[in-house]
Amino acid sequence: MHSNDTSSRRLQEALLLARRKDGDRLMLDDATLAGALDGSRPLTSGERAALQASPLTARRLRHLALARRAAASTAWRGSRGALRAASSGAAEAVVTDDGWWTLHFIAAGASWRTVLQLAPQAPFAEALLVARAPLRVVDGAGGVVLAGQLDADGECEAAWPFATAPADHLQAHGARFTVEPLEADTP
């Protein structure tokens, strides 16, 4: 898109949103507008005419579109972490670079337990807890360290799946780990 096209579009949007009309009211409800935004329910010709005739409804559609865009921009897509250079010996916990996840390693006799903990202040924490979305932790080589769903406390726990201790294993596999959403088509 050229700058003239962008300028023209912005000018048209500003003119549309600045319009005022006496007695104007919302002509379409939020569910109808949201369906039009996500493509699940196209507007009928009558609804399109109502939207064009009502500046208030057009402003509401824009508000919902901006809110939807803002929510999508804060959606979590993954977090990376690394063993720190100062780390030596057994790692008890490592934190992602963004500070939103902590991976704890708990000795359990001759084996280990792994606990992934979500920071409650993470901007996506509430959405992940409500959705109970599946997630996983992978090491630097792509090996799955843990996979599951967060419980009500924002934690997920599993047995350590490798023969070597956590610090040694992570160090041998790039000294990195990633917490990521587990998509339906991901193995």
Side-chain angles (χ1 to χ4, degrees):
M1 184 176 262
H2 297 293
S3 65
N4 288 342
D5 294 339
T6 303
S7 297
S8 176
R9 184 178 48 80
R10 286 184 180 158
L11 180 59
Q12 287 175 341
E13 180 182 359
L15 290 172
L16 175 68
L17 295 174
R19 284 187 325 159
R20 301 285 187 231
K21 185 175 173 184
D22 288 338
D24 194 9
R25 61 184 178 84
L26 284 177
M27 301 301 290
L28 302 171
D29 63 13
D30 283 359
T32 301
L33 295 173
L37 284 171
D38 68 18
S40 64
R41 185 187 174 287
L43 294 177
T44 66
S45 60
E47 290 168 335
R48 283 193 308 273
L51 178 61
Q52 290 174 339
S54 171
L56 182 62
T57 305
R59 285 193 299 276
R60 180 64 182 162
L61 177 65
R62 183 171 190 276
H63 172 79
L64 293 173
L66 291 174
R68 180 182 162 99
R69 186 180 312 154
S73 71
T74 60
W76 174 71
R77 292 178 183 86
S79 299
R80 296 184 181 273
L83 293 181
R84 303 295 174 231
S87 297
S88 62
E92 293 180 11
V94 289
V95 179
T96 57
D97 297 338
D98 54 25
W100 294 335
W101 300 94
T102 303
L103 191 57
H104 300 273
F105 305 108
I106 303 164
S111 61
W112 293 86
R113 300 280 310 157
T114 308
V115 178
L116 179 66
Q117 181 180 35
L118 173 62
Q121 72 274 15
F124 50 83
E126 183 178 354
L128 281 183
L129 291 172
V130 168
R132 296 196 35 90
L135 50 86
R136 71 179 178 181
V137 178
V138 295
D139 62 24
V144 178
V145 171
L146 173 140
Q149 293 177 315
L150 295 174
D151 62 18
D153 295 326
E155 295 180 351
C156 182
E157 182 177 347
W160 176 252
F162 305 105
T164 56
D168 295 336
H169 175 84
L170 291 175
Q171 201 63 262
H173 293 87
R176 299 204 55 77
F177 68 98
T178 303
V179 183
E180 58 190 21
L182 186 59
E183 304 297 328
D185 59 346
T186 304

